[in-house]
Amino acid sequence: MPHDRHAVGHSDADVLLHAITDALLGAAGLPDIGVLFPNTEEANRGRDSADMLRLAYDRVTAAGYRLTNLDAVVHAQRPKLSPHKAAIVDRIAAILGVEPGQINGKAKTGEGTGPIGIEELIEARCVALVERT
């Protein structure tokens, strides 16, 4: 979605997909995103976070787990994400190869206060429930 600001990071800085990646890896007891895709490797500069999520979920499934459900929240003052939640959920489900009903997405603002409210920060938090296959 068009916006006058952008996140800064070594990869493409998609905070939501990074939070999902870490939640899935953590739920399966696997190393985090920084271990699998270190920012010290040039190959990860500008890397597509969807690619990292797919590869991480491949590791989760190879370890004998599958996603049961995922709950994610993005904290951002702008852009307003609520109108885009269905599209975001559909994209995440497609990346993971799961049903959209297994993904729940929420958007919150900083209500004009703190680093989120004054648009210095976007934050995402995610909880993933996995089960042994």
Side-chain angles (χ1 to χ4, degrees):
M1 70 198 72
H3 191 54
D4 62 341
R5 300 182 101 174
H6 67 277
V8 176
H10 187 74
S11 68
D12 67 2
D14 188 317
V15 295
L16 176 57
L17 294 187
H18 285 221
I20 293 168
T21 300
D22 266 338
L24 287 167
L25 291 167
L30 297 171
D32 68 26
I33 192 172
V35 172
L36 296 181
F37 308 103
N39 65 5
T40 55
E41 289 186 16
E42 195 57 32
N44 294 323
R45 180 172 301 284
R47 190 169 192 168
D48 182 354
S49 294
D51 177 52
M52 291 189 284
L53 176 55
R54 275 187 210 95
L55 292 170
Y57 191 56
D58 286 348
R59 287 184 175 230
V60 169
T61 58
Y65 295 93
R66 71 175 184 91
L67 178 66
T68 299
N69 64 22
L70 183 133
D71 185 56
V73 60
V74 177
H75 297 266
Q77 190 66 29
R78 289 186 319 129
K80 297 295 184 194
L81 298 175
S82 288
H84 307 282
K85 284 192 289 189
I88 292 168
V89 164
D90 287 346
R91 179 166 187 254
I92 293 164
I95 292 167
L96 296 173
V98 300
E99 294 298 318
Q102 293 174 259
I103 312 294
N104 186 42
K106 298 184 284 290
K108 306 289 182 191
T109 71
E111 299 191 7
T113 64
I116 292 169
I118 61 172
E119 300 181 38
E120 291 180 344
L121 180 72
I122 293 178
E123 178 181 62
R125 296 181 185 187
C126 182
V127 176
L129 177 64
V130 297
E131 66 181 349
R132 281 234 180 247
T133 55

